[in-house]
Amino acid sequence: RMSATVKNPFQHIVEPLDPKDPKQQFYNLSKLGDPRYDRLPFSIRVLLESAVRNCDEFLVKRSDVESILNWKETQTQTVEVPFRPARVILQDFTGVPAVVDFAAMRDAVMKLGGDPEKINPVCPADLVIDHSIQVDFNRKSDSLQKNQDLEFDRNRERFQFLKWGSKAFRNMRIIPPGSGIVHQVNLEYLARVVFKYDGYFYPDSLVGTDSHTTMIDGLGVLGWGVGGIEAEAVMLGQPISMVLPEVVGYKLSGTPDKLITSTDIVLTVTKHLRQVGVVGKFVEFFGPGVAQLSIADRATIANMCPEYGATAAFFPVDDVTAEKENLTDSTVLLQKLDLDTVVPCCSGPKRPQDRIAVSDMKSDFEACLGAKQSFKGFQVAPEHHNAAIPFQFNGKEYTLSHGSVVIAAITSCTNTSNPSVMLGAGLLAKKAIECGLSVKPYIKTSLSPGSGVVTYYLKESGVMKYLSQLGFEVVGYGCMTCIGNSGPLPEPVVESITQGDLVAAGVLSGNRNFEGRVHPNTRANYLASPPLVIAYAIAGTVRIDFEKEPIAINCDGKEIFLRDIWPTREEIQAVERTFVIPSMFKEVYEKIENVNERWNSLVAPSDKLYTWDPKSTYIKSPPFFDGLTMQLEPPKSINDAYVLLNLGDSVTTDHISPAGNIARTSSAARYLTSRGLTPRDYNSYGSRRGNDAVMARGTFANIRLFNKFLNKQAPQTIHLPTGDTLDVFDAAERYQQSGVPLVVLAGKEYGSGSSRDWAAKGPFLLGIKAVIAESYERIHRSNLVGMGVIPLEYLSGDTADSLGLTGRERYTVIIPEQLTPRMILDTGKTFQVRMRFDTDVELAYFHHGGILNYMIRKMSEN
């Protein structure tokens, strides 16, 4: 927001939107009279408009505007520009720690003699509570109510705290639990497309604390995910400092086959763009194929943007997408996809970018079964490939084997926001029931729509009853299985999987399938369209070739093939045109902020400073600002550090800071037990993100973490001075008691996956001073910077292996007093690394000990 006392140097291009109403104005960029403007990609124009409108020659300067106008040259020159988005969006797993930080920052500002109410969002923020609900109950008509009741019982304290925050802080709106998934609610309700503030109209834009914030790009609203710590600074008025991105033009042509879903398209796009490399870039979609895609289809493709590595995946509004020539002239890289080449596909078994044609699923799984332990391998001995374990369930005997489906979840904003695939699933269910097919009762089936609109049109169209008969009852409105809140499996199923050491499968319509994320007992997890989720549930296994084998044999002994029950595009579109109507959205969203009675009746304190409860195991004042003073200390070198963990490639934020259930044998469980809790009250790591004591103990607590020190998957490491094998937290605690710093060694794509600020906060609390990796995921690198943890990168061609590093060495990182962005540093091990503070602003954050310390000092000064 601009100060009224500062004259904008571009005020001369302000025009009234309507000559009859001069108070409604906008910045007309065409009046800049600069031919470079007409050559800019549309996403870059949004950055330009923000810079022009917010230019105050302090936080945003005329030189920044010039850098953006000169994008064709500056895009490859690592030029830093500020961006002030119109708003910020959060979900509760990231929102609770943000409000905890704000409450603690108010305390810190007051201790430094400042006005604590300066800690107040000036950029509007919406927080959607969608990550707390779990699939504890399923397959019954009362599952939704029971899960919602349990959600409230478990999370009452967190919800009270959030309600306090909504009253204590201005410009913060809370969307109550039970409303839907953050990105679908954003797409259907919160998005403005054109934003209005203080008499000015301008493009809606946003950053969010969830990496799939990019879903909104499908609507022509520019948005992307940032670290939770960075989002907090944006809320307090600090612009994002970003490197002006390159833009990849992605041309869509052709017409998809009538059996193809938007899920098939996005998995194909994801694999293609991962191969060509778009990390850190904006992708703009254009071409005749775009007209074949609905807004929901585009949103699905934009949602998966983090999986193909881009920062944003932008679909300009329709009346400008035809102007493709200036886009192709401006981009440094042009890619193309013919939609008629897309085939039905899934993705897995461990990563979303590993696309597999449905026709190859059986052979691919069987190849993975015996392959060496990797992203495409489980290393099962050949003699065990056909293992079969019988078990009893509800008085009947069943058999599990490798590839047996035990979780089938229609979940996630990626797909539940799209009426075509949801109605497609419903029509497939209808045909399956009419053919006499069913789903085995031990398979955990669930349907968790992203908004109440979905249930509305499924019921009105008459397909909900068929979904229910197959076990796909509505279990809640939230992320649920996609975030790892899949709930418990039946005990006989778990025992059989454990007894046979089986590679059991989960199939979900989600966007992430990393190891240990969906459920601890499903080692193979596949992303699929909602109709395919039902298909694999009926088949009961992923070891099936749907083209050659029947999906099932009905009670009459007749073989039924998938093609017999798969609905055509024409069938789906006919139902969609009839039953997905605007009045549904209006009716659902008119009451969204008041419909939850338990939320409405929740009583929360109204004090401006939060009164911390020392007995609370959910909300705790964090130690980040303990001892903070106004004086800065010069940066210190890291001397004789031990390596806490020696990790490989693609270590995800799920490995670093898991969100799922707290294991009974973990350090976090021992802490909660010491506070008087029983296992049924542990809840999840995600729900405990307001308590640093739990989250520090949960850091690197994923059971699928592969540590080279141990040469196996376990949430443990070796305490090098003694040789003891310990839980990671316990080892870090020993090191801290000895007063020695720690580093982590890693490979490529360190920190990939979900945007998770605790994946940086946790390592900070463990005493980790730096990470040395081959490359970083964009948001995670930003989070490390925000916490003052130094992201160091091997120079090109160097790796831990090529340098002969075992991780058992002691490490010294020499940090000079005068620092520059991306400078090369010496280490005591005689190799150099690049310090990944990419901008001057990030260096300023580092000098302050992190972005929040910087904001506290800034607010205290003012």
Side-chain angles (χ1 to χ4, degrees), residues 204-389:
D204 188 8
S205 61
L206 68 149
V207 293
T209 57
D210 189 285
S211 52
H212 293 101
T213 298
T214 52
M215 186 173 190
I216 203 64
D217 293 343
L219 191 62
V221 174
L222 184 63
W224 64 87
V226 297
I229 305 157
E230 187 175 14
E232 293 170 30
V234 173
M235 291 166 68
L236 295 175
Q238 184 76 2
I240 289 176
S241 176
M242 62 183 297
V243 174
L244 202 58
E246 299 176 34
V247 178
V248 174
Y250 198 84
K251 184 177 182 179
L252 298 176
S253 60
T255 301
D257 182 85
K258 63 181 181 179
L259 299 180
I260 296 304
T261 68
S262 58
T263 314
D264 303 317
I265 296 172
V266 72
L267 294 180
T268 303
V269 168
T270 297
K271 182 175 182 179
H272 185 207
L273 288 177
R274 288 285 298 201
Q275 290 171 338
V276 301
V278 293
V279 174
K281 298 177 174 66
F282 284 3
V283 175
E284 279 196 21
F285 293 86
F286 69 100
V290 172
Q292 303 292 323
L293 304 177
S294 67
I295 291 295
D297 292 337
R298 301 176 197 187
T300 298
I301 294 170
N303 178 286
M304 292 283 280
C305 176
E307 278 62 59
Y308 42 88
T311 299
F314 194 61
F315 285 82
V317 290
D318 279 317
D319 60 353
V320 294
T321 50
E323 301 174 28
K324 57 182 176 296
E325 292 308 316
N326 75 347
L327 176 62
T328 58
D329 286 348
S330 300
T331 52
V332 295
L333 179 64
L334 181 65
Q335 296 295 329
K336 181 178 176 179
L337 174 68
D338 290 325
L339 295 175
D340 51 13
T341 64
V342 177
V343 298
C345 55
C346 297
S347 201
K350 302 182 184 182
R351 296 190 304 183
Q353 63 262 36
D354 294 327
R355 173 188 165 277
I356 316 143
V358 169
S359 58
D360 295 332
M361 273 285 285
K362 181 177 182 178
S363 59
D364 187 85
F365 177 83
E366 290 177 344
C368 290
L369 206 55
K372 183 180 178 182
Q373 185 68 239
S374 66
F375 300 120
K376 296 287 288 185
F378 297 103
Q379 205 163 337
V380 175
E383 60 270 23
H384 296 304
H385 284 197
N386 295 315
I389 307 297

Side-chain angles (χ1 to χ4, degrees), residues 764-812:
F764 170 83
L765 292 177
L766 295 187
I768 294 170
K769 303 299 182 185
V771 177
I772 308 174
E774 293 177 51
S775 64
Y776 293 87
E777 191 276 338
R778 175 183 60 85
I779 297 175
H780 184 63
R781 187 198 64 81
S782 172
N783 272 332
L784 291 174
V785 171
M787 285 308 299
V789 177
I790 307 173
L792 300 174
E793 194 170 270
Y794 295 109
L795 300 189
S796 180
D798 285 351
T799 66
D801 289 340
S802 71
L803 294 168
L805 306 179
T806 67
R808 296 179 180 271
E809 307 88 355
R810 303 286 291 272
Y811 286 73
T812 293

